[in-house]
């Protein structure tokens, strides 16, 4: 049985607490939806902010909603070099011991003390997909991306929940190395 999953390429983005949304956009401000994402209830917001590191910045970095319990900035390794931040590879939400940076919005700035990561490559599995394929939460997988520059990615983390939809998330560095795009498919091989 082929274990084929859709690929989603994750560009740099930000998850914010409501407190930080209001610090950046004004008291009482609520994020507004630009477009839905592959995971149920998640969306790309219309709102963007500047991300400022010690050596550079990126303007107009997209915020993803809804708000979260902790703010987090997800960038690629190339992005990290460009702005001077030593971001470790981590699972989303695992931000202890990570560096911070400055966020600048239209109504103010936020100094994040921590929360900058290079997101670990992962596959979201709905519980039923994981059961069908015998995959456990947090299992490390080997996944083949096909095409002209095809490659095999190791240590792809399985994230299993009844709230997830089947989708593999890689960052722009990984996608560029493989010549992969949103909507491509990958095959779990081990």
């Amino acid at each position: 049985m082929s274990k084929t999953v859709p690929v989603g390429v994750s560009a740099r983005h930000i998850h914010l607490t409501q407190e930080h949304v209001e610090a950046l956009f004004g008291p009482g401000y609520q994020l507004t939806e630009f477009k839905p994402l592959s995971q149920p209830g998640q969306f790309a917001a219309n709102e963007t902010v500047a991300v400022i590191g010690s050596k550079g910045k990126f303007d107009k970095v997209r915020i993803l909603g809804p708000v979260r319990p902790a703010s987090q900035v997800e960038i690629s390794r190339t992005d990290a070099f460009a702005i001077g931040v030593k971001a470790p590879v981590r699972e989303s939400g695992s931000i202890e011991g990570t560096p911070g940076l400055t966020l600048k919005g239209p109504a103010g700035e936020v100094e994040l003390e921590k929360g900058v990561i290079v997101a670990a490559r992962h596959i979201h599995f709905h519980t039923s997909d994981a059961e069908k394929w015998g995959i456990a939460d947090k299992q490390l997988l080997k996944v083949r991306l096909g095409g002209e520059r095809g490659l095999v990615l190791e240590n792809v983390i399985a994230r299993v929940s009844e709230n997830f939809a089947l989708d593999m998330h890689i960052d722009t560095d990984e996608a560029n190395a493989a010549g992969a795009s949103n909507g491509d498919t990958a095959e779990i091989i081990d």
Side-chain angles (χ1 to χ4, degrees):
M1 165 178 39
S2 176
K3 299 175 185 173
T4 303
V5 297
V7 173
V9 179
S10 187
R12 68 181 78 106
H13 63 272
I14 305 167
H15 300 283
L16 293 174
T17 64
Q18 183 60 35
E19 175 187 356
H20 288 160
V21 168
E22 293 184 31
L24 294 164
F25 294 95
Y29 195 89
Q30 299 291 312
L31 295 175
T32 59
E33 185 173 328
F34 171 63
K35 68 177 183 178
L37 298 175
S38 65
Q39 296 309 302
Q42 305 291 309
F43 62 90
N46 286 301
E47 293 77 15
T48 62
V49 295
V51 172
I52 305 163
S54 64
K55 293 192 333 189
K57 72 175 185 168
F58 297 118
D59 292 314
K60 298 184 178 181
V61 178
R62 181 84 49 199
I63 298 168
L64 302 187
V67 294
R68 297 256 179 115
S71 291
Q72 173 177 293
V73 177
E74 295 183 32
I75 57 178
S76 70
R77 181 76 75 206
T78 300
D79 289 344
F81 289 136
I83 63 171
V85 177
K86 292 185 179 183
V89 175
R90 293 281 183 86
E91 272 192 80
S92 182
S94 178
I95 61 171
E96 288 306 315
T98 61
L101 47 59
T102 303
L103 303 176
K104 183 174 180 164
E109 291 187 4
V110 170
E111 293 288 335
L112 290 182
E113 293 179 11
K114 61 183 175 184
V116 184
I117 66 168
V118 174
R121 50 187 168 237
H122 58 278
I123 301 175
H124 291 277
F125 290 91
H126 185 272
T127 310
S128 62
D129 293 315
E131 288 172 359
K132 176 175 63 176
W133 291 342
I135 292 172
D137 190 42
K138 306 296 184 199
Q139 182 177 341
L140 296 181
L141 305 170
K142 188 182 293 187
V143 180
R144 181 189 340 267
L145 291 164
E148 184 177 16
R149 299 188 73 198
L151 54 78
V152 173
L153 297 174
E154 296 188 7
N155 302 318
V156 180
I157 301 167
R159 297 182 59 195
V160 179
S161 169
E162 61 185 32
N163 298 320
F164 290 158
L166 185 63
D167 199 27
M168 177 176 173
H169 290 172
I170 57 175
D171 71 20
T172 53
D173 285 349
E174 293 162 325
N176 288 338
S181 301
N182 281 320
D184 286 355
T185 57
E187 182 182 6
I188 300 167
I189 56 175
D190 188 24

